[in-house]
Amino acid sequence: MVDLEQLEARFVERYGERPRIFSAPGRVNLIGEHTDYNDGFVLPLAIERRTFVAASPRSDGRIVAFSQNLGSAIEFELASPGPKRQGSWRDYVEGTAQALLNSGFAVAGANLLIDSELPAGAGLSASAALELAVGFALVCLAGNPSPDRVKLALAGQAAEHTYVGTMCGIMDQYVVALGQAEHALLIDCRSLEFRLVPLELGSACLLICDTEVKHELSSSAYNERRRQCEAGVALLARSLPHVCALRDVSMAELERAAPQLPALVAKRCQHVVGENARTLAAAELLHAGRLVELGALMYESHASLRDDYEVSCPELDECVAAASEELGVYGSRMTGGGFGGCTVTLLERAALERVKSAIARRFAARFGKAPAFLVTKASAGVREA
């Protein structure tokens, strides 16, 4: 965990002045995967682990930043954008700064010292946490203490698209910007409206299992799924003129139109259409405290991501399978973009240690190492300190 006093001391040592400290959380998605870039619905929450940015203003229009986690520094001029997609953490920082400027935010030079509790590549949105923590810091240092959080989220997404090369949806940046303690957010990714859903689990809790299999969301596989969905929309719109995105398609309509779609595209569409319906149902079940039925939807979601969308992997499947065989577990699924990362499991707190041991034992027997575990609850979004 990040020691804020130590972070401040290191900032003073590096830059010779006292900083302000900002932070943004990671996120876990209960259900609603790969629906956000299809104008659909998602049900994420901000988690307790955060990325911290100690910051002070500069008068020369330069951003000078150092990452404690990576032990490396970057430096660039706001007025002279550097090359895009360099494949380093600079893409996230410079991309966010330039997206803020393009969105009309005032941004000035700054010294930044970054430290994070979030593992990179684990599917817990470490990249969005970095973008929003840096973005919030830059805007606040420039004299705007209450920036529009939706615009901040959109700037983070623009950084991913333009500088990183990941054509992600809005979910990660949105919940990192607007997350609230003790609540999940049901987000409509078309209108950008959201509804708070109380995360009142009673005797249950949420367990994140990190397979520590790393993935690159800017890899061809993620962007390929988006292109396949777009191809499906173009074909469906020929007979369903109201369809602008897969969010507009019902399962009955998809089943009738399936013969006109390539088999692979039909599978991708089936996941998204089904996942939207599961997400809306899950929000109502969570609000009503009907955890058994909610858990069943989580298992259905994982099976769809594994079989129809094909973004799971053996490590994720093993964690879900191990959890599913334990008493006290309501449901489990992969969370995040896929190709590695984490699962999220809803279970009784009394069963927690037994379930962790069972997953670790089975995982180690197959893969030769144990996964990492984190029990979490919903946290607040980006903020100062």
Side-chain angles (χ1 to χ4, degrees), residues 184-265:
L185 272 63
L186 176 64
I187 305 169
D188 180 334
C189 297
R190 170 174 285 168
S191 69
L192 298 185
E193 296 174 343
F194 71 94
R195 175 163 66 88
L196 292 173
V197 182
L199 197 68
E200 297 173 351
L201 300 180
S203 60
C205 64
L206 292 173
L207 173 67
I208 296 171
C209 177
D210 183 2
T211 66
E212 298 187 335
V213 175
K214 307 302 181 185
H215 59 83
E216 282 290 339
L217 283 183
S218 57
S219 67
S220 61
Y222 183 96
N223 292 337
E224 180 186 43
R225 297 303 186 279
R226 183 164 185 157
R227 289 193 294 271
Q228 289 165 341
C229 291
E230 291 167 350
V233 168
L235 292 170
L236 289 166
R238 295 177 181 176
S239 58
L240 299 168
H242 68 282
V243 172
C244 298
L246 288 178
R247 181 261 188 63
D248 301 317
V249 184
S250 70
M251 189 58 75
E253 288 173 328
L254 180 61
E255 289 171 353
R256 288 194 296 270
Q260 66 184 279
L261 302 178
L264 186 59
V265 170

Side-chain angles (χ1 to χ4, degrees), residues 225-306:
R225 297 303 186 279
R226 183 164 185 157
R227 289 193 294 271
Q228 289 165 341
C229 291
E230 291 167 350
V233 168
L235 292 170
L236 289 166
R238 295 177 181 176
S239 58
L240 299 168
H242 68 282
V243 172
C244 298
L246 288 178
R247 181 261 188 63
D248 301 317
V249 184
S250 70
M251 189 58 75
E253 288 173 328
L254 180 61
E255 289 171 353
R256 288 194 296 270
Q260 66 184 279
L261 302 178
L264 186 59
V265 170
K267 287 176 63 176
R268 305 300 190 241
C269 294
Q270 180 168 300
H271 164 72
V272 174
V273 173
E275 189 80 346
N276 273 322
R278 283 187 289 269
T279 302
L280 291 172
E284 299 308 314
L285 293 170
L286 177 59
H287 191 268
R290 294 159 60 181
L291 302 187
V292 173
E293 294 158 276
L294 173 59
L297 290 179
M298 293 173 71
Y299 284 131
E300 288 180 22
S301 173
H302 183 79
S304 180
L305 287 159
R306 180 191 64 213

Side-chain angles (χ1 to χ4, degrees), residues 30-359:
L30 287 177
I31 196 166
E33 223 67 72
H34 290 277
T35 51
D36 58 346
Y37 54 80
N38 287 291
D39 281 2
F41 301 92
V42 291
L43 188 63
L45 57 121
I47 64 174
E48 294 174 284
R49 291 198 179 181
R50 307 180 73 87
T51 291
F52 294 85
V53 175
S56 68
R58 294 177 63 97
S59 60
D60 59 359
R62 297 185 69 80
I63 302 294
V64 179
F66 185 83
S67 168
Q68 290 285 120
N69 305 90
L70 299 175
S72 66
I74 60 172
E75 187 171 340
F76 58 88
E77 293 185 12
L78 289 169
S80 302
K84 300 176 178 66
R85 304 184 186 184
Q86 297 184 49
S88 76
W89 65 282
R90 175 179 177 145
D91 292 335
Y92 300 96
V93 177
E94 185 168 12
T96 297
Q98 294 301 327
L100 290 171
L101 289 169
N102 292 337
S103 299
F105 284 105
V107 179
N111 296 313
L112 307 175
L113 181 61
I114 301 163
D115 203 355
S116 183
E117 302 164 344
L118 292 162
L124 298 178
S125 209
S127 59
L130 175 60
E131 290 153 4
L132 269 293
V134 167
F136 194 70
L138 294 179
V139 171
C140 288
L141 288 179
N144 186 351
S146 301
D148 183 316
R149 288 171 178 255
V150 174
K151 284 184 66 178
L152 279 177
L154 290 169
Q157 182 192 33
E160 293 273 359
H161 289 186
T162 305
Y163 269 76
V164 181
T166 301
M167 301 306 293
C168 64
I170 192 59
M171 175 181 66
D172 292 357
Q173 290 81 12
Y174 196 98
V175 71
V176 170
L178 288 107
Q180 294 195 25
E182 301 180 2
H183 291 82
L185 272 63
L186 176 64
I187 305 169
D188 180 334
C189 297
R190 170 174 285 168
S191 69
L192 298 185
E193 296 174 343
F194 71 94
R195 175 163 66 88
L196 292 173
V197 182
L199 197 68
E200 297 173 351
L201 300 180
S203 60
C205 64
L206 292 173
L207 173 67
I208 296 171
C209 177
D210 183 2
T211 66
E212 298 187 335
V213 175
K214 307 302 181 185
H215 59 83
E216 282 290 339
L217 283 183
S218 57
S219 67
S220 61
Y222 183 96
N223 292 337
E224 180 186 43
R225 297 303 186 279
R226 183 164 185 157
R227 289 193 294 271
Q228 289 165 341
C229 291
E230 291 167 350
V233 168
L235 292 170
L236 289 166
R238 295 177 181 176
S239 58
L240 299 168
H242 68 282
V243 172
C244 298
L246 288 178
R247 181 261 188 63
D248 301 317
V249 184
S250 70
M251 189 58 75
E253 288 173 328
L254 180 61
E255 289 171 353
R256 288 194 296 270
Q260 66 184 279
L261 302 178
L264 186 59
V265 170
K267 287 176 63 176
R268 305 300 190 241
C269 294
Q270 180 168 300
H271 164 72
V272 174
V273 173
E275 189 80 346
N276 273 322
R278 283 187 289 269
T279 302
L280 291 172
E284 299 308 314
L285 293 170
L286 177 59
H287 191 268
R290 294 159 60 181
L291 302 187
V292 173
E293 294 158 276
L294 173 59
L297 290 179
M298 293 173 71
Y299 284 131
E300 288 180 22
S301 173
H302 183 79
S304 180
L305 287 159
R306 180 191 64 213
D307 300 333
D308 288 335
Y309 222 63
E310 298 181 280
V311 292
S312 188
C313 65
E315 291 86 353
L316 291 169
D317 295 341
E318 196 71 30
C319 288
V320 171
S324 71
E325 295 180 2
E326 294 299 312
L327 293 174
V329 173
Y330 294 104
S332 185
R333 61 183 290 277
M334 60 155 278
T335 184
F339 313 108
C342 294
T343 63
V344 57
T345 300
L346 176 63
L347 74 166
E348 284 293 317
R349 191 172 292 275
L352 181 61
E353 294 306 318
R354 171 172 49 81
V355 171
K356 286 166 60 178
S357 295
I359 295 172

